[in-house]
Amino acid sequence: MRFIIDNYTTASSSQALYFAEHLNEMEEHEVRMLKQGQESIFDAFDRFKPDFYITSTGLLSKDAVVYISQSKNIKLIISTNDANNSDVVEIESALLDSKINCPFFISNLRDEKKPMTKKTKVIRFMECVDLNFDADVGVDYSIDKLVMVGSKTDSVRNYNGTFHVASHNQDMAKVVDVCLPINLMVSIISKYKEVIFQEIGDYLPQLFFHSIASGIPTYYDLEDKERSDVVDNMCDKVFGVGNKLNYTSSDKITDFDSLKELVLEKHTSTRRVKSLLSQLPTKK
């Protein structure tokens, strides 16, 4: 099958890139990454003749909708990550009106928070370990803790020992010690003895999976009790550990060997791509 994929990567997620990379590794598939703003949508689709177009709510253009509505052979897959529900519903309505074949939307949100749609199926694709990343940048240092924060972190709690405060969010570059996108953050996490997330929303971040897969003690330490309970539940469903990744837990996990094995078995980019392919409608 032939895929055109938009580069909808963000500072915290590389989903679009690992979809493209792993699909291209398979002889039966061919991928072209679309250069938004640098080439005509119509020319790209005319030349490549894709079976599927994978994009995001933020990058789906009017030109693409017009083209696909006139070419019934192309099926559309949309990532709704970081989109609010009203935007998803508006896009779905436009697709239904144009009679575009959109088999499903992709969401990284926990099941209770997946977008509500009229007809289109929404499939959960959790974040995962991107196996295409380099493991180490060759910088040599050792710090006790890497403390991950976000734009909604009210205040950074202190810990014993040395620690760096870090974020993927470029808006926080002047107020944190380390501000890097996911691929570069992954390359330095081995320099820390623990990784602590002080902000987690309605999905487990990609770096959370990478940190566990590196065998590093990885926890969340959330100020809001209600939010902490939600993440307890998420981690129990995904890892089967109850609240033992909660930094405040009296019996939190310290040996991460079995969790590392679990993540590398079930939560890698190759597994996510296999899941994607299993959901795609086949040609009749």
Side-chain angles (χ1 to χ4, degrees):
M1 294 184 287
R2 298 167 69 83
F3 298 83
I4 284 183
I5 301 179
D6 260 321
N7 187 2
Y8 57 88
T9 54
T10 66
S12 60
S13 175
S14 62
Q15 185 182 78
L17 291 180
Y18 70 66
F19 277 175
E21 186 70 25
H22 292 309
L23 287 169
N24 248 342
E25 292 170 349
M26 303 176 188
E27 289 185 6
E28 64 270 34
H29 303 307
E30 189 174 352
V31 176
R32 176 173 177 176
M33 292 295 289
L34 190 63
K35 299 175 182 177
Q36 282 277 359
Q38 299 180 39
E39 61 181 332
S40 161
I41 294 283
F42 286 87
D43 287 346
F45 280 66
D46 278 342
R47 292 170 184 167
F48 193 73
K49 294 179 173 54
D51 300 299
F52 292 92
Y53 173 40
I54 302 178
T55 186
S56 67
T57 50
L59 290 180
L60 179 65
S61 67
K62 291 182 180 178
D63 283 352
V65 171
V66 170
Y67 190 100
I68 298 173
S69 67
Q70 297 171 354
S71 178
K72 303 303 181 183
N73 293 327
I74 301 175
K75 299 173 183 65
L76 177 65
I77 310 295
I78 301 178
S79 166
T80 64
N81 298 350
D82 300 323
N84 61 53
N85 203 95
S86 60
D87 288 342
V88 174
V89 171
E90 183 178 348
I91 288 172
E92 183 195 26
S93 296
L95 299 182
L96 292 173
D97 290 343
S98 301
K99 295 181 172 54
I100 286 176
N101 187 345
C102 181
F104 56 87
F105 292 152
I106 291 171
S107 172
N108 62 358
L109 299 180
R110 59 191 175 94
D111 289 336
E112 298 85 351
K113 289 292 183 178
K114 286 192 305 186
M116 300 293 291
T117 57
K118 297 175 182 177
K119 292 184 178 180
T120 309
K121 181 168 58 173
V122 180
I123 299 177
R124 183 186 184 195
F125 276 76
M126 287 186 288
E127 300 293 344
C128 67
V129 175
D130 189 334
L131 297 176
N132 302 294
F133 286 167
D134 292 331
D136 200 314
V137 292
V139 179
D140 188 23
Y141 66 91
S142 179
I143 301 289
D144 290 337
K145 295 175 176 63
L146 180 68
V147 180
M148 293 299 300
V149 299
S151 59
K152 296 180 181 179
T153 307
D154 293 329
S155 60
V156 179
R157 289 178 297 292
N158 289 319
Y159 300 97
N160 293 327
T162 56
F163 63 90
H164 281 160
V165 179
S167 178
H168 298 303
N169 189 340
Q170 282 298 315
D171 292 338
M172 302 184 69
K174 293 182 179 180
V175 297
V176 296
D177 301 308
V178 180
C179 187
L180 294 172
I182 180 66
N183 60 315
L184 295 180
M185 198 74 81
V186 166
S187 69
I188 65 169
I189 56 175
S190 63
K191 311 306 177 185
Y192 299 90
K193 298 174 184 176
E194 288 183 340
V195 177
I196 302 173
F197 288 75
Q198 288 194 2
E199 181 176 312
I200 291 182
D202 287 313
Y203 65 92
L204 295 175
Q206 183 171 338
L207 188 67
F208 199 84
F209 288 96
H210 274 282
S211 184
I212 292 175
S214 298
I216 301 168
T218 304
Y219 308 102
Y220 50 92
D221 186 10
L222 310 182
E223 196 167 20
D224 183 271
K225 178 62 168 58
E226 184 176 347
R227 170 57 51 186
S228 188
D229 290 343
V230 168
V231 179
D232 285 347
N233 188 50
M234 272 199 291
C235 284
D236 188 36
K237 287 183 177 179
V238 176
F239 305 117
V241 294
N243 71 339
K244 294 181 180 180
L245 295 179
N246 192 325
Y247 196 71
T248 63
S249 173
S250 59
D251 60 343
K252 64 178 180 287
I253 294 172
T254 56
D255 184 347
F256 277 72
D257 286 349
S258 60
L259 267 184
K260 173 181 178 179
E261 184 178 343
L262 172 70
V263 168
L264 290 175
E265 178 186 353
K266 295 187 175 181
H267 300 289
T268 64
S269 49
T270 53
R271 287 295 294 260
R272 296 292 185 263
V273 170
K274 287 179 181 178
S275 295
L276 174 69
L277 290 172
S278 72
Q279 296 291 338
L280 297 180
T282 56
K283 292 182 179 180
K284 294 182 179 180

